[in-house]
Amino acid sequence: FQATVKEGVTGVIVNLTVGDRDDPATGAWRAVYTIINGNPGQSFEIHTNPQTNEGMLSVVKPLDYEISAFHTLLIKVENEDPLIPDIAYGPSSTATVQITVEDVNEGPVFHPNPMTVTKRENIPVGSVVLTVNATDPDTLQHQTIRYSVFKDPAGWLEINPTNGTIGTTAVLDRESPYVHNNIYTAQFLAIDSGNPPATGTGTLHITLEDVNDNIPSLYPTLAKVCDDAKDLRVVVLGASDKDLHPNTDPFKFELSKQSGPDKLWRINKINNTHAQVILLQNLQKANYNIPISVTDSGKPPLTNNTELKLQVCSCKKSKMDCSATDALHISVILILLSLGSLFCKSFP
């Protein structure tokens, strides 16, 4: 028997026919096939077709033309039931199957795949990340390979189409939503010059090392207190940072210098990430902006100068009314504007 199969495919490639003069559909007629030679890699299997008694020879592991273009199998067939004793011929027959493998243009293969590299975030634009290596399995065809970007979710990378060097076109950011567990993943294509061309895909994992490039943020940004409050501990502030240790806590909390002889508030550290704002006296109903700076532990450290909006409200019967604070500010502004207008009229 002879068969032809393309490399890289699986399935039935030839049916082996046998003749048996015993009663069909009995064990004395049904054939059992066995590959007894030529199958060291277990690339072939043979099974009996129960309707026709033919042997269906299949490729179960894809063949490689570059390794071997020809295969010769020796196959034995016998009945399910043993022959009766004293028969002049043997209990089985054999046949040879010659298989020709056809060459197929295969896509280039990246080595290794996936590819891994570690880089600090914020490396300069134009930095080299990695030079990839892809080879063409079709060694007998002497094809060339060109490279291109397939998936680059953040648009950070480019690849030299000739030599496979990957470089940055933007700043790598570990805190980007496209980065998961500190790893940025991109994919690249290697395309050969066959007709038609074949393509291989390679995956690149970039582990991004943290640098201190995010200022800490403060929360909450608004606090309310009664003008006659007995507990002057206004609010507990927390700080968070998108960076990793040691570029985050412990945080340093500070108040900007307060003008005037009377100090109105202070800030006390509770732990590495929290501090408490305390009033030093009861305040009149109004809105106050408390300037606060919070600094991380990075080297060099980064500071966020922000403000906590404090509303001093009137409280009666356990009900807090903060509407007067805004009205008070509006009134003060109107008074100042009126005074300015009178001043201008008096002194043209």
Side-chain angles (χ1 to χ4, degrees):
F1 295 87
Q2 293 185 342
T4 300
V5 59
K6 292 182 178 181
E7 65 172 330
V9 302
T10 58
V12 177
I13 59 173
V14 65
N15 291 306
L16 278 65
T17 57
V18 293
D20 194 310
R21 289 183 292 178
D22 290 312
D23 186 19
T26 66
W29 176 82
R30 287 191 292 268
V32 177
Y33 298 86
T34 308
I35 302 173
I36 59 177
N37 196 13
N39 192 28
Q42 305 300 309
S43 298
F44 303 93
E45 287 183 358
I46 189 166
H47 301 280
T48 304
N49 185 322
Q51 280 75 39
T52 64
N53 218 24
E54 293 177 340
M56 299 182 296
L57 181 64
S58 302
V59 176
V60 293
K61 292 182 181 179
L63 304 176
D64 190 340
Y65 173 85
E66 284 71 29
I67 294 177
S68 178
F70 301 96
H71 297 266
T72 300
L73 303 181
L74 184 62
I75 297 176
K76 178 182 72 172
V77 61
E78 53 191 351
N79 290 130
E80 286 185 359
D81 295 344
L83 289 177
I84 61 173
D86 302 326
I87 296 296
Y89 44 83
S92 63
S93 298
T94 59
T96 299
V97 181
Q98 295 178 340
I99 301 164
T100 301
V101 181
E102 292 183 344
D103 192 17
V104 173
N105 188 25
E106 301 170 90
V109 179
F110 284 85
H111 307 280
N113 195 15
M115 302 159 281
T116 59
V117 66
T118 299
K119 294 291 179 182
R120 286 173 63 85
E121 65 171 334
N122 291 351
I123 58 176
V125 175
S127 298
V128 173
V129 176
L130 178 72
T131 297
V132 301
N133 178 36
T135 59
D136 195 329
D138 300 301
T139 55
L140 302 179
Q141 298 185 29
H142 305 291
Q143 300 183 39
T144 59
I145 294 176
R146 60 182 177 88
Y147 300 94
S148 65
V149 177
F150 180 44
K151 291 183 180 180
D152 178 20
W156 290 343
L157 305 173
E158 65 180 359
I159 188 168
N160 185 300
T162 304
N163 62 23
T165 298
I166 298 173
T168 63
T169 59
V171 175
L172 307 182
D173 183 11
R174 191 197 63 84
E175 291 77 29
S176 166
Y178 297 106
V179 176
H180 304 284
N181 297 323
N182 304 324
I183 297 175
Y184 180 69
T185 300
Q187 290 184 316
F188 299 87
L189 299 179
I191 308 166
D192 67 23
S193 57
N195 186 20
T199 301
T201 304
T203 300
L204 172 63
H205 296 307
I206 305 176
T207 300
L208 294 174
E209 295 178 334
D210 187 45
V211 299
N212 193 22
D213 59 349
N214 289 275
I215 61 173
S217 60
L218 200 67
Y219 60 91
T221 57
L222 173 66
K224 298 180 181 180
V225 64
C226 296
D227 57 354
D228 58 351
K230 293 181 173 57
D231 186 358
L232 298 181
R233 293 174 296 181
V234 176
V235 65
V236 173
L237 295 176
S240 62
D241 197 312
K242 293 180 180 180
D243 294 315
L244 298 176
H245 286 285
N247 297 320
T248 55
D249 59 87
F251 298 111
K252 181 180 179 181
F253 299 87
E254 292 180 303
L255 287 173
S256 300
K257 291 183 179 180
Q258 302 177 54
S259 61
D262 296 331
K263 306 298 183 184
L264 300 179
W265 41 68
R266 72 169 185 264
I267 189 166
N268 291 344
K269 183 176 180 178
I270 298 175
N271 53 33
N272 288 343
T273 57
H274 291 79
Q276 191 165 53
V277 176
I278 302 174
L279 293 184
L280 301 180
Q281 62 187 47
N282 287 107
L283 301 177
Q284 294 181 347
K285 294 187 288 292
N287 287 337
Y288 299 86
N289 291 324
I290 304 177
I292 298 173
S293 67
V294 55
T295 305
D296 63 27
S297 296
K299 294 182 180 180
L302 295 179
T303 299
N304 181 12
N305 295 306
T306 184
E307 289 184 339
L308 170 67
K309 183 178 180 181
L310 175 64
Q311 290 185 331
V312 179
C313 310
S314 61
C315 300
K316 295 180 180 179
K317 297 181 180 180
S318 302
K319 292 184 178 181
M320 181 176 286
D321 181 11
C322 298
S323 58
T325 60
D326 293 327
L328 178 62
H329 258 301
I330 294 172
S331 299
V332 170
I333 293 171
L334 291 175
I335 291 170
L336 292 174
L337 290 174
S338 299
L339 291 174
S341 176
L342 289 173
F343 181 82
C344 292
K345 289 178 180 179
S346 301
F347 302 94

